[in-house]
Short mmCIF file of all heavy atoms in Angstrom, two decimals:
data_model
loop_
_atom_site.label_atom_id
_atom_site.label_comp_id
_atom_site.label_asym_id
_atom_site.label_seq_id
_atom_site.Cartn_x
_atom_site.Cartn_y
_atom_site.Cartn_z
N GLU A 153 -23.26 -12.39 -52.25
CA GLU A 153 -23.73 -13.43 -53.16
C GLU A 153 -25.01 -14.11 -52.67
O GLU A 153 -25.55 -14.98 -53.36
CB GLU A 153 -22.63 -14.49 -53.35
CG GLU A 153 -21.38 -13.96 -54.02
CD GLU A 153 -20.29 -15.00 -54.15
OE1 GLU A 153 -20.14 -15.84 -53.24
OE2 GLU A 153 -19.59 -14.99 -55.18
N GLY A 154 -25.47 -13.74 -51.46
CA GLY A 154 -26.71 -14.31 -50.94
C GLY A 154 -26.52 -15.45 -49.97
O GLY A 154 -27.50 -16.11 -49.59
N TYR A 155 -25.29 -15.72 -49.52
CA TYR A 155 -25.05 -16.82 -48.59
C TYR A 155 -25.06 -16.32 -47.14
O TYR A 155 -24.71 -15.17 -46.85
CB TYR A 155 -23.70 -17.48 -48.88
CG TYR A 155 -23.66 -18.19 -50.22
CD1 TYR A 155 -22.91 -17.67 -51.26
CD2 TYR A 155 -24.37 -19.37 -50.42
CE1 TYR A 155 -22.87 -18.32 -52.50
CE2 TYR A 155 -24.34 -20.02 -51.65
CZ TYR A 155 -23.59 -19.49 -52.68
OH TYR A 155 -23.56 -20.12 -53.90
N LEU A 156 -25.47 -17.21 -46.22
CA LEU A 156 -25.43 -16.90 -44.80
C LEU A 156 -24.00 -16.55 -44.40
O LEU A 156 -23.04 -17.20 -44.83
CB LEU A 156 -25.91 -18.09 -43.97
CG LEU A 156 -27.34 -18.57 -44.20
CD1 LEU A 156 -27.63 -19.78 -43.32
CD2 LEU A 156 -28.34 -17.45 -43.93
N TYR A 157 -23.88 -15.53 -43.57
CA TYR A 157 -22.54 -15.03 -43.22
C TYR A 157 -22.49 -14.71 -41.73
O TYR A 157 -23.37 -14.04 -41.20
CB TYR A 157 -22.24 -13.78 -44.03
CG TYR A 157 -20.91 -13.11 -43.73
CD1 TYR A 157 -19.73 -13.59 -44.30
CD2 TYR A 157 -20.84 -12.01 -42.89
CE1 TYR A 157 -18.52 -12.98 -44.03
CE2 TYR A 157 -19.63 -11.39 -42.62
CZ TYR A 157 -18.46 -11.87 -43.19
OH TYR A 157 -17.26 -11.27 -42.92
N PHE A 158 -21.46 -15.22 -41.06
CA PHE A 158 -21.18 -14.90 -39.66
C PHE A 158 -19.81 -14.25 -39.60
O PHE A 158 -18.82 -14.80 -40.11
CB PHE A 158 -21.21 -16.16 -38.79
CG PHE A 158 -21.09 -15.87 -37.32
CD1 PHE A 158 -22.21 -15.58 -36.56
CD2 PHE A 158 -19.84 -15.88 -36.71
CE1 PHE A 158 -22.09 -15.30 -35.20
CE2 PHE A 158 -19.72 -15.61 -35.35
CZ PHE A 158 -20.85 -15.32 -34.59
N SER A 159 -19.74 -13.07 -39.02
CA SER A 159 -18.51 -12.29 -39.00
C SER A 159 -17.66 -12.64 -37.79
O SER A 159 -18.06 -12.38 -36.65
CB SER A 159 -18.85 -10.79 -38.99
OG SER A 159 -17.68 -10.02 -38.79
N HIS A 160 -16.51 -13.22 -38.04
CA HIS A 160 -15.60 -13.57 -36.94
C HIS A 160 -14.17 -13.29 -37.38
O HIS A 160 -13.75 -13.72 -38.47
CB HIS A 160 -15.76 -15.03 -36.54
CG HIS A 160 -14.93 -15.43 -35.36
ND1 HIS A 160 -14.70 -14.59 -34.28
CD2 HIS A 160 -14.27 -16.59 -35.07
CE1 HIS A 160 -13.95 -15.20 -33.39
NE2 HIS A 160 -13.66 -16.41 -33.83
N GLY A 161 -13.44 -12.58 -36.56
CA GLY A 161 -12.05 -12.27 -36.88
C GLY A 161 -11.49 -11.27 -35.90
O GLY A 161 -12.14 -10.85 -34.94
N PRO A 162 -10.24 -10.86 -36.13
CA PRO A 162 -9.58 -9.93 -35.21
C PRO A 162 -9.92 -8.47 -35.52
O PRO A 162 -10.06 -8.08 -36.68
CB PRO A 162 -8.10 -10.20 -35.47
CG PRO A 162 -8.05 -10.65 -36.89
CD PRO A 162 -9.33 -11.38 -37.17
N ALA A 163 -10.06 -7.68 -34.47
CA ALA A 163 -10.14 -6.23 -34.60
C ALA A 163 -8.74 -5.64 -34.40
O ALA A 163 -7.83 -6.30 -33.92
CB ALA A 163 -11.11 -5.65 -33.57
N ASN A 164 -8.60 -4.40 -34.80
CA ASN A 164 -7.34 -3.67 -34.59
C ASN A 164 -6.17 -4.34 -35.30
O ASN A 164 -5.10 -4.53 -34.73
CB ASN A 164 -7.05 -3.53 -33.09
CG ASN A 164 -6.35 -2.21 -32.78
OD1 ASN A 164 -6.61 -1.19 -33.40
ND2 ASN A 164 -5.45 -2.23 -31.81
N VAL A 165 -6.38 -4.69 -36.55
CA VAL A 165 -5.30 -5.26 -37.36
C VAL A 165 -4.59 -4.09 -38.03
O VAL A 165 -4.86 -3.73 -39.17
CB VAL A 165 -5.85 -6.25 -38.40
CG1 VAL A 165 -4.70 -6.91 -39.15
CG2 VAL A 165 -6.72 -7.30 -37.74
#
Side-chain angles (χ1 to χ4, degrees):
E153 295 178 324
Y155 294 109
L156 299 179
Y157 178 82
F158 186 86
S159 172
H160 184 37
N164 214 34
V165 184

